[in-house]
Amino acid sequence: MRVSLARVPFPMPRCFATIAVFLATLLVMPPAGAAAQVARSAAEVPAPVVIGPVTASASPGDPSRDYPFFASTRDLAKLGYVEQEFFLQGTANRYSTPPAQTGSIISEDHSYKTRLIVRRPASSARFNGKVVVEWLNVTNGHDQEQTWYEIDEHLLSAGYAWVGVSAQRVGVNYLRTWNPARYGTLDVGQRDKSGTETITDDALSYDIMSQAAQALRAPTRISPLGRLKPQVIIATGHSQSASRLSTYVNSIQPLSRAFDAFALEGSLANPIRVDLTVPVWKVLSEYDVEALEGRVRRPDEGLFRSWEVAGTSHNTRRALDARVPLQRRDIGTAQEDSLDCTEPIGTTVPFHHVMAAGLERLVRWVTHGTPMPSAPPLVFASGPPGQLARDRFGMALGGIRLSQVAVPIATSNGTNSGPGTCDRWGFTVPFDDAKLAALYPRHGGYVSRVAKVTGQNRRAGFILPGDAARTISEAARSPIGTN
């Protein structure tokens, strides 16, 4: 297989925990310089065939289903964006993926055909040069994005392009049945003449991601980004997708060099290798840390950073509000409709504010060589292993503490209770009037406290200036302390 190297800058580390780590890092990092370019003796990732944009004869929700699955409900045209779907086909390798080590090719030349969903600025003037490539999540039995749900407003306002990749069998096979006329030729399981899948372990998903990046960075006949020329390509994924991407980081990225950085959201106890060659950022809810990620914590060093956000859940209310209408429109029902959790599902602490700020810091790391700041970790209690320490309001201690946690008007907990997947949804329960009056007897005092905490988080790099201003404005408009 041919493999390509993205030309990206890497900063020299400022300090290391041990001499061993220092020496190991020197072996994989080029000389210092914010705009340093690297070149290695590696061939290119094969360029896949891009087909499209695939036309849609019907509007989203039409019974014919001749439109992209989970097409956005946003008026993208009004925002200067277009949404297009493309098919991607080529041949992929199967790899070994030893834990936290570089993989090797097991077998070659397995044919595949899948799809990309692209949301991009309509004009080059609107494009900031950055592309977020999301490994679409298939936990619910079909493709769905998550990073887009969380930070679509920021991506749109800042001029990013976003690309969703159908990399796994569950998602592609669902598409085949959802609309056979549109998606019936898609196949990531290398079907034989009888239509039986001969590859049933998502082994081709890694090369599909690499070749999707190649189609964006060095298109041949058809460019999924139109006339846009990407400067930075960042891979992201949530939960199950973040776990797959963690394996990609450890075993495939050293071979493909396809991505400039990785943003792993809500990963599931996946250790990341030390000798990274591109920045890797984990952004975790308190549920993620308490349930799984606390077991594989490692120090921020070299090209690795991990941010843990207090008061947040694996699935957020924001994602719920974005996803459920699409499920009802395209599937007829939403999985969350049947949940019977103890508390209303989803925390309202704005996890997306931290995600947006972290993305900008990650981009700056790639483009200017300025490392992301480290964040304080959440605090574990001295009791049963895995339980977080909590304050008198039931809030987790430590971590990134947005004003909704540091100056609370509700209890937000990353873990809910009840059947099925209730635990990962968390909850937010508002304080009653008596508690609010006791905590914040004066409106000005409440607003001042919110402004102070928000300013600290802005200066630390955990919230963007625009989101900080909105947070303070919301506190000023609230009735807290006015009674």
Side-chain angles (χ1 to χ4, degrees):
M1 175 186 176
R2 297 179 304 156
V3 228
S4 87
L5 220 288
R7 296 176 176 266
V8 296
F10 305 104
M12 284 293 287
R14 295 179 180 176
C15 62
F16 296 86
T18 65
I19 294 176
V21 172
F22 176 73
L23 293 175
T25 306
L26 286 179
L27 292 175
V28 299
M29 296 179 71
Q37 299 291 307
V38 294
R40 293 183 175 87
S41 56
E44 294 182 348
V45 169
V49 175
V50 178
I51 303 167
V54 182
T55 59
S57 65
S59 299
D62 187 272
S64 71
R65 293 182 170 176
D66 191 23
Y67 58 87
F69 179 72
F70 272 24
S72 178
T73 56
R74 281 188 169 275
D75 187 350
L76 295 175
K78 186 177 181 180
L79 298 169
Y81 269 68
V82 296
E83 178 180 69
Q84 295 175 322
E85 188 173 52
F86 295 85
F87 292 158
L88 196 73
Q89 67 180 25
T91 58
N93 301 331
R94 295 171 60 243
Y95 296 89
S96 67
T97 55
Q101 297 179 49
T102 303
S104 59
I105 296 173
I106 296 174
S107 59
E108 300 177 292
D109 298 327
H110 301 283
S111 61
Y112 75 87
K113 183 178 181 181
T114 190
R115 66 142 192 171
L116 308 177
I117 186 76
V118 178
R119 296 165 191 152
R120 63 168 178 83
S123 70
S124 298
R126 184 82 171 76
F127 183 44
N128 70 358
K130 284 76 176 179
V131 185
V132 173
V133 179
E134 182 166 358
W135 186 313
L136 296 177
N137 186 285
V138 297
T139 298
N140 285 337
H142 54 74
D143 280 347
Q144 64 185 33
E145 54 264 47
Q146 182 76 16
T147 298
W148 173 265
Y149 296 151
E150 292 286 356
I151 58 171
D152 58 342
E153 289 183 359
H154 176 67
L155 297 176
L156 292 165
S157 64
Y160 282 84
W162 175 92
V163 178
V165 181
S166 295
Q168 292 178 255
R169 295 172 46 256
V170 168
V172 169
N173 290 346
Y174 185 90
L175 291 171
R176 287 168 56 93
T177 60
W178 186 76
N179 186 341
R182 187 177 183 87
Y183 296 123
T185 62
L186 303 188
D187 177 22
V188 296
Q190 195 168 7
R191 284 173 163 76
D192 60 21
K193 292 182 179 179
S194 70
T196 301
E197 290 180 301
T198 61
I199 296 176
T200 59
D201 59 358
D202 285 328
L204 307 186
S205 61
Y206 303 116
D207 262 4
I208 287 171
M209 282 294 287
S210 298
Q211 292 180 28
Q214 183 75 347
L216 302 173
R217 194 185 300 277
T220 53
R221 190 173 65 86
I222 296 174
S223 170
L225 296 177
R227 297 176 181 271
L228 306 184
K229 305 298 182 185
Q231 300 166 358
V232 175
I233 301 179
I234 294 175
T236 189
H238 174 262
S239 189
Q240 178 260 353
S241 298
S243 292
R244 301 287 301 181
L245 266 184
S246 296
T247 299
Y248 187 102
V249 166
N250 290 330
S251 298
I252 311 302
Q253 173 70 13
L255 301 173
S256 71
R257 304 295 201 270
F259 294 97
D260 300 328
F262 293 84
L264 308 175
E265 179 194 353
S267 57
L268 308 174
N270 304 114
I272 299 298
R273 64 190 297 163
V274 174
D275 56 337
L276 298 169
T277 56
V278 296
V280 175
W281 170 52
K282 283 188 177 183
V283 55
L284 306 169
S285 72
E286 70 172 59
Y287 171 88
D288 305 322
V289 176
E290 187 170 50
L292 293 166
E293 279 286 325
R295 307 171 192 172
V296 297
R297 264 183 175 167
R298 53 166 284 198
D300 283 358
E301 58 189 6
L303 292 167
F304 177 80
R305 295 292 183 273
S306 181
W307 289 7
E308 302 173 359
V309 189
T312 57
S313 49
H314 187 72
N315 295 321
T316 66
R317 190 83 59 86
R318 181 180 179 85
L320 176 74
D321 291 343
R323 184 169 73 197
V324 165
L326 293 172
Q327 290 178 324
R328 290 173 181 162
R329 184 195 72 193
D330 288 354
I331 300 174
T333 185
Q335 287 89 341
E336 288 73 33
D337 288 341
S338 61
L339 285 178
D340 185 21
C341 304
T342 304
E343 302 289 352
I345 61 176
T347 56
T348 58
V349 175
F351 187 75
H352 60 286
H353 286 179
V354 177
M355 285 188 64
L359 176 62
E360 292 305 313
R361 290 285 180 157
L362 186 62
V363 166
R364 188 179 178 189
W365 200 350
V366 172
T367 58
H368 292 82
T370 305
M372 295 178 71
S374 292
L378 291 164
V379 177
F380 279 96
S382 58
Q387 290 190 354
L388 294 175
R390 298 189 177 274
D391 63 18
R392 61 192 175 111
F393 303 117
M395 302 284 215
L397 296 176
I400 294 175
R401 307 182 69 75
L402 298 176
S403 67
Q404 293 82 359
V405 171
V407 192
I409 59 174
T411 292
S412 290
N413 190 305
T415 304
N416 209 324
S417 58
T421 61
C422 281
D423 59 343
R424 69 192 67 170
W425 277 100
F427 64 87
T428 293
V429 176
F431 295 161
D432 59 32
D433 291 342
K435 181 178 284 189
L436 289 172
L439 287 172
Y440 312 112
R442 295 185 179 181
H443 181 66
Y446 167 70
V447 176
S448 294
R449 290 174 62 182
V450 169
K452 180 179 179 180
V453 168
T454 303
Q456 291 169 343
N457 282 321
R458 179 182 58 78
R459 290 188 292 275
F462 302 144
I463 186 171
L464 293 173
D467 289 330
R470 280 185 286 274
T471 297
I472 297 169
S473 177
E474 288 170 4
R477 295 195 309 269
S478 77
I480 306 300
T482 60
N483 297 329

